C-alpha cells in the first residue's frame, strides 16, 4: 500500500520569496511521483513528474522537485513566488504507470504582495 | 498535452432526481478513465475506475447503485448520480491517460463538475 503526506495544509509566502511544499510518501516499490496544481473550480494540471532517471525534475512555471529515496520525499520548490502561484497543490504517488494515483491532502498556497 | 473535457461544469438538481456527468477524451482514446470526488478544501478521493466495454471497478465504500458509471466508447465515460441527495453535493473530476501517460503514469484531468443537490 502507498500513502502520501503533505506537511502543512496552508502555506503563505511573500511575492518573490521561496516556495517550499513538502511531500513524503510511503511505498513498497519505487514510486512514480507527481505534483499537480488546482485553481479554484478547475481540474488538476500537472506541474512535474518523476518516473526514473534524474532525481531533480523541472516542471512548468518555474517549479522543480527532487526525489530523495533515502528520505522518501519529493518536495516542490520555486525560487521566487508569483501572485499567479496562489492555488492548491497536490502531491501524488503511483506504484507504476498503470496504477491508481494516490493523492496527498493538498497544500493551499497564498501569495502576499 | 492531452485534453479531457467534462460536461456540465455546474449542475443544480432537486433531491431525488438523477444527474449525468460526461467525461470525454478529446484527442486520444482512453480505455480507462478514473472518477474522483472532491469535498470542499479536501483532497481527491478515487471513486471508481471506468473500463471501456466492461464494468467499472469501484473503490471500497462507494455505492455502485448510487454512482453508475458507463464507458461505452474509447472517448466517453459517464457518471450518473442516481436519486441524488444533498450529501451527494460535491466536485466530481474525471481523468484519463493517453498513450504516453500509460508509460509515465501521468493523468489528464477534466475541468470538474460541481453538483449541488437542493
Amino acid at each position: 500500500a502507498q500513502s502520501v503526506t503533505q506537511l502543512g495544509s496552508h502555506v503563505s509566502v511573500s511575492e518573490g520569496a521561496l516556495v517550499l511544499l513538502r511531500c513524503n510518501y510511503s511505498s513498497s516499490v519505487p514510486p512514480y511521483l507527481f505534483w499537480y496544481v488546482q485553481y479554484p473550480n478547475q481540474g488538476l494540471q500537472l506541474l512535474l513528474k518523476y518516473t526514473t532517471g534524474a532525481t531533480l525534475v523541472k516542471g512548468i512555471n518555474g517549479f522543480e522537485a527532487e526525489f530523495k529515496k533515502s528520505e522518501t520525499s519529493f518536495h516542490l520548490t520555486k525560487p521566487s513566488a508569483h501572485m499567479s502561484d496562489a492555488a492548491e497543490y497536490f502531491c501524488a504517488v503511483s506504484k507504476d504507470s498503470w496504477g491508481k494515483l494516490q493523492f496527498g491532502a493538498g497544500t493551499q498556497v497564498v501569495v502576499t504582495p | 498535452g492531452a485534453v479531457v473535457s467534462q460536461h456540465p461544469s455546474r449542475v443544480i438538481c432537486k433531491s431525488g432526481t438523477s444527474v449525468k456527468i460526461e467525461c470525454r477524451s478529446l484527442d486520444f482514446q482512453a480505455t480507462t478513465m478514473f472518477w474522483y470526488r472532491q469535498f470542499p478544501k479536501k483532497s481527491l478521493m478515487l471513486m471508481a475506475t471506468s473500463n471501456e466495454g466492461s464494468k467499472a471497478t469501484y473503490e471500497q465504500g462507494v455505492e455502485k447503485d448510487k454512482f453508475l458509471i458507463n464507458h461505452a466508447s474509447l472517448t466517453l465515460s459517464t457518471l450518473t448520480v442516481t436519486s441524488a441527495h444533498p450529501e451527494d453535493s460535491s466536485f466530481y473530476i474525471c481523468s484519463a491517460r493517453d498513450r504516453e501517460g500509460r508509460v509515465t503514469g501521468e493523468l489528464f484531468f477534466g475541468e470538474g463538475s460541481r453538483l449541488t443537490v437542493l
Side-chain angles (χ1 to χ4, degrees):
Chain A
Q2 56 206 21
S3 66
V4 182
T5 302
Q6 289 183 240
L7 297 177
S9 60
H10 287 80
V11 169
S12 182
V13 296
S14 299
E15 190 175 17
L18 171 72
V19 179
L20 170 61
L21 304 183
R22 300 180 186 275
C23 174
N24 288 87
Y25 67 91
S26 66
S27 177
S28 57
V29 296
Y32 286 59
L33 296 160
F34 307 84
W35 275 99
Y36 283 87
V37 61
Q38 184 182 32
Y39 297 98
N41 295 309
Q42 294 186 26
L44 277 66
Q45 179 184 8
L46 181 72
L47 279 177
L48 47 77
K49 61 180 180 282
Y50 170 81
T51 55
T52 59
T55 56
L56 180 64
V57 292
K58 296 185 183 297
I60 62 171
N61 302 339
F63 285 94
E64 64 181 35
E66 185 171 12
F67 168 55
K68 291 187 177 180
K69 184 178 180 180
S70 62
E71 299 178 5
T72 61
S73 68
F74 192 55
H75 301 331
L76 180 72
T77 61
K78 181 173 180 177
S80 178
H82 191 272
M83 297 299 289
S84 61
D85 295 327
E88 185 90 22
Y89 292 80
F90 293 96
C91 181
V93 61
S94 177
K95 64 177 182 179
D96 53 40
S97 63
W98 285 92
K100 306 170 189 175
L101 278 188
Q102 182 76 38
F103 285 88
T107 299
Q108 180 73 45
V109 172
V110 175
V111 182
T112 58
Chain B
V3 179
V4 176
S5 178
Q6 273 183 251
H7 178 81
S9 58
R10 294 177 182 272
V11 56
I12 300 173
C13 69
K14 294 182 179 180
S15 185
T17 62
S18 295
V19 174
K20 180 185 287 186
I21 300 170
E22 294 185 345
C23 178
R24 294 181 185 276
S25 57
L26 297 185
D27 51 0
F28 66 99
Q29 294 181 334
T31 55
T32 302
M33 292 184 175
F34 302 89
W35 285 96
Y36 290 85
R37 181 175 180 177
Q38 186 178 29
F39 292 97
K41 301 187 184 302
K42 296 290 185 181
S43 187
L44 284 76
M45 180 191 77
L46 180 64
M47 300 175 64
T49 302
S50 172
N51 303 298
E52 188 270 335
S54 64
K55 292 182 179 180
T57 304
Y58 290 82
E59 295 300 302
Q60 189 173 8
V62 177
E63 299 177 59
K64 300 178 182 181
D65 296 330
K66 176 71 166 178
F67 300 100
L68 298 179
I69 291 174
N70 183 278
H71 196 151
S73 78
L74 288 172
T75 59
L76 174 64
S77 175
T78 60
L79 168 68
T80 301
V81 183
T82 63
S83 186
H85 291 280
E87 57 266 29
D88 299 325
S89 298
S90 192
F91 195 55
Y92 294 88
I93 309 175
C94 71
S95 64
R97 289 193 174 102
D98 64 359
R99 184 183 299 273
E100 180 181 349
R102 289 196 283 274
V103 175
T104 66
E106 176 182 354
L107 281 178
F108 292 94
F109 286 82
E111 311 94 324
S113 299
R114 183 163 301 285
L115 170 64
T116 302
V117 184
L118 302 176

